[in-house]
């Protein structure tokens, strides 16, 4: 077999003389600082220029803390965004949702989040959406909804230690604040009509899980999973990234000591949450496209929570009092 049998003969031919192309002169546009704030900035018939002006005005207003002004600018920007410019549209909708959150307009903020969800077509889109919902729910004290969003993040990105850590921190806060099922209803800020109806079946299920023993167990699961993932990641880290990992690992160990699960419980939970921590699976596990529809609280419950409950540790070691934390 000839070594060069797969090469084309043209590879060994002399290069042809390239034809030089004369470039036309180009004059770069010079803009003064905050040029978009001038009234004359809108004296144009170009929709793209108007979109830029309103978008920049909104971004500047957010930076200055004037969220009502930013919301008005983003609303005007929407009118000039091309239908095929999904990136800017998503950016503006998220900005409007965050402005409404700061202004105390919970329903409008969630409406904008719902609009974003309709265009979510990949993992990055859904991750941004869920992080947005987490910030909205936290601002308005919707404990159950925030926990649901964090659980969806853990289902979407099961090998991201920081989402598990944040979910664990939330469980720890619930324990330390002495919340119980009655005060931790999934939709604390829902309308009275929705509360009278009892909420959806998913919300009722989540409410049943918001009691001290189950929150304690879920906190243990989250911090154990966080510790396992961080130990894997630190093998390929250095500098300040490694320092952050080491610091978080130390805090995770301290939290687990405060939660004080029995050694048998710790071992059982570690086995459950480490089943999928295989290098090949961690590289191949990707959720895009149609599989995004399966990322929900139910998938988290089936993938993690039900397996944990099957170990029986809730009955043997789960009746911890919140004073131990």
């Amino acid at each position: 077999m000839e070594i060069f049998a797969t090469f084309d003969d043209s590879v060994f031919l002399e290069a042809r003389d390239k034809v030089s192309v004369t470039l036309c002169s180009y004059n770069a546009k010079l803009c003064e600082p905050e040029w978009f704030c001038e009234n004359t900035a809108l004296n144009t018939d170009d929709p793209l220029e108007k979109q830029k002006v309103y978008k920049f005005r909104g971004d500047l207003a957010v930076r200055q803390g004037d969220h009502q002004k930013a919301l008005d600018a983003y609303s005007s920007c929407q009118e000039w965004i091309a239908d095929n410019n999904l990136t800017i549209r998503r950016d503006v909708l998220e900005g409007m949702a965050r402005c409404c959150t700061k202004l105390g307009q919970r329903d409008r903020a969630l409406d904008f989040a719902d609009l974003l969800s309709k265009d979510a077509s990949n993992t990055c889109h859904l991750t941004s959406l869920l992080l947005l919902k987490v910030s909205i729910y936290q601002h308005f004290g919707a404990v159950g909804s925030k926990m649901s969003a964090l659980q969806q993040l853990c289902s979407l990105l099961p090998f991201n230690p920081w989402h598990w850590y944040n979910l664990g921190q939330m469980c720890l806060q619930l324990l330390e604040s002495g919340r119980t099922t009655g005060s931790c209803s999934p939709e604390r800020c829902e309308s009275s009509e929705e509360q009278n109806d009892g909420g959806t079946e998913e919300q009722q299920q989540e409410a049943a899980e918001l009691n001290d023993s189950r929150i304690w167990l879920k906190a243990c699961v989250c911090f154990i999973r966080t510790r396992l993932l961080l130990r894997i990641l630190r093998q390929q880290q250095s500098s300040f990234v490694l320092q952050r990992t080491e610091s978080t690992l130390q805090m995770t160990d301290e939290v687990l000591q405060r939660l004080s699960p029995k050694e048998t419980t710790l071992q059982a939970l570690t086995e459950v949450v480490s089943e999928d921590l295989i290098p090949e699976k961690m590289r191949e596990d990707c959720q895009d496209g149609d599989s995004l529809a399966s990322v929900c609280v139910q998938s988290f419950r089936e993938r993690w929570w039900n397996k944990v409950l099957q170990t029986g540790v809730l009955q043997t070691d789960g009746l911890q009092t919140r004073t131990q934390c």
Side-chain angles (χ1 to χ4, degrees):
M1 181 177 179
E2 296 182 7
I3 298 178
F4 299 105
T6 57
F7 285 87
D8 189 270
D9 291 341
S10 61
V11 175
F12 303 98
L13 297 178
E14 294 183 3
R16 297 181 179 179
D17 295 335
K18 295 182 179 180
V19 179
S20 60
V21 178
T22 303
L23 297 177
C24 299
S25 60
Y26 172 73
N27 295 323
K29 181 179 180 180
L30 300 178
C31 298
E32 297 294 329
E34 299 184 10
W35 60 272
F36 46 85
C37 294
E38 301 293 334
N39 293 329
T40 56
L42 291 173
N43 294 338
T44 177
D45 295 329
D46 187 353
L48 180 59
E49 286 298 314
K50 290 188 176 182
Q51 170 210 296
K52 291 179 181 179
V53 169
Y54 286 120
K55 176 66 166 58
F56 293 158
R57 287 181 179 181
D59 293 344
L60 179 62
V62 169
R63 185 174 181 180
Q64 295 173 341
D66 192 340
H67 296 99
Q68 183 59 60
K69 183 179 179 180
L71 181 60
D72 294 339
Y74 286 142
S75 299
S76 299
C77 179
Q78 265 194 312
E79 303 176 10
W80 301 101
I81 301 176
D83 294 335
N84 61 347
N85 197 343
L86 298 181
T87 301
I88 295 297
R89 184 176 301 278
R90 292 185 61 82
D91 195 17
V92 169
L93 284 174
E94 180 174 345
M96 295 174 76
R98 295 189 181 278
C99 287
C100 289
T101 301
K102 293 292 186 179
L103 294 170
Q105 302 173 12
R106 178 179 182 272
D107 292 338
R108 287 193 69 190
L110 291 176
D111 286 342
F112 289 129
D114 289 339
L115 290 176
L116 280 170
S117 66
K118 295 178 181 179
D119 295 329
S121 59
N122 56 50
T123 303
C124 292
H125 288 171
L126 191 53
T127 300
S128 299
L129 173 63
L130 290 172
L131 290 173
L132 171 63
K133 286 187 174 182
V134 167
S135 65
I136 295 174
Y137 294 139
Q138 173 157 348
H139 184 85
F140 292 102
V143 177
S145 296
K146 179 186 175 184
M147 178 169 284
S148 298
L150 286 171
Q151 290 178 170
Q152 291 178 68
L153 278 169
C154 291
S155 294
L156 179 66
L157 301 170
F159 304 123
N160 186 312
W162 307 110
H163 298 322
W164 287 97
Y165 182 77
N166 290 334
L167 180 57
Q169 283 290 344
M170 180 182 178
C171 294
L172 192 64
Q173 291 170 9
L174 289 175
L175 287 173
E176 292 177 338
S177 63
R179 294 178 186 267
T180 60
T181 306
S183 61
C184 282
S185 58
E187 297 294 335
R188 211 179 80 182
C189 294
E190 288 295 326
S191 65
S192 58
E193 180 180 354
E194 290 175 327
Q195 290 177 346
N196 293 334
D197 291 341
T200 65
E201 181 179 351
E202 186 174 272
Q203 292 169 2
Q204 293 177 26
Q205 176 67 26
E206 192 67 25
E209 294 179 0
L210 287 175
N211 59 68
D212 283 356
S213 59
R214 294 200 172 204
I215 288 296
W216 173 86
L217 183 59
K218 190 169 289 188
C220 291
V221 170
C222 291
F223 286 114
I224 291 172
R225 176 80 173 180
T226 299
R227 183 167 64 179
L228 290 170
L229 289 169
L230 288 176
R231 285 176 176 175
I232 294 174
L233 286 178
R234 71 176 177 182
Q235 298 175 9
Q236 51 190 353
Q237 293 177 337
S238 61
S239 187
F240 66 91
V241 179
L242 179 59
Q243 292 177 6
R244 182 193 181 196
T245 296
E246 295 288 358
S247 175
T248 307
L249 270 172
Q250 182 178 351
M251 290 188 291
T252 300
D253 289 336
E254 293 173 356
V255 170
L256 285 172
Q257 289 179 4
R258 290 161 56 193
L259 292 171
S260 61
K262 295 179 181 178
E263 187 62 32
T264 54
T265 298
L266 191 62
Q267 183 178 354
L269 294 179
T270 301
E271 291 178 358
V272 171
V273 300
S274 63
E275 289 178 350
D276 62 331
L277 298 185
I278 305 170
E280 292 75 13
K281 182 174 179 58
M282 294 176 69
R283 285 194 295 266
E284 295 174 0
D285 193 3
C286 181
Q287 299 185 21
D288 279 319
D290 296 337
S291 64
L292 290 179
S294 65
V295 179
C296 59
V297 175
Q298 186 64 28
S299 66
F300 178 91
R301 195 171 290 129
E302 293 174 353
R303 184 171 182 180
W304 306 104
W305 193 229
N306 290 348
K307 290 183 180 180
V308 169
L309 294 179
Q310 289 172 5
T311 64
V313 297
L314 186 61
Q315 287 72 32
T316 60
D317 196 18
L319 300 178
Q320 305 288 322
T321 60
R322 53 180 171 264
T323 57
Q324 289 180 288
C325 299

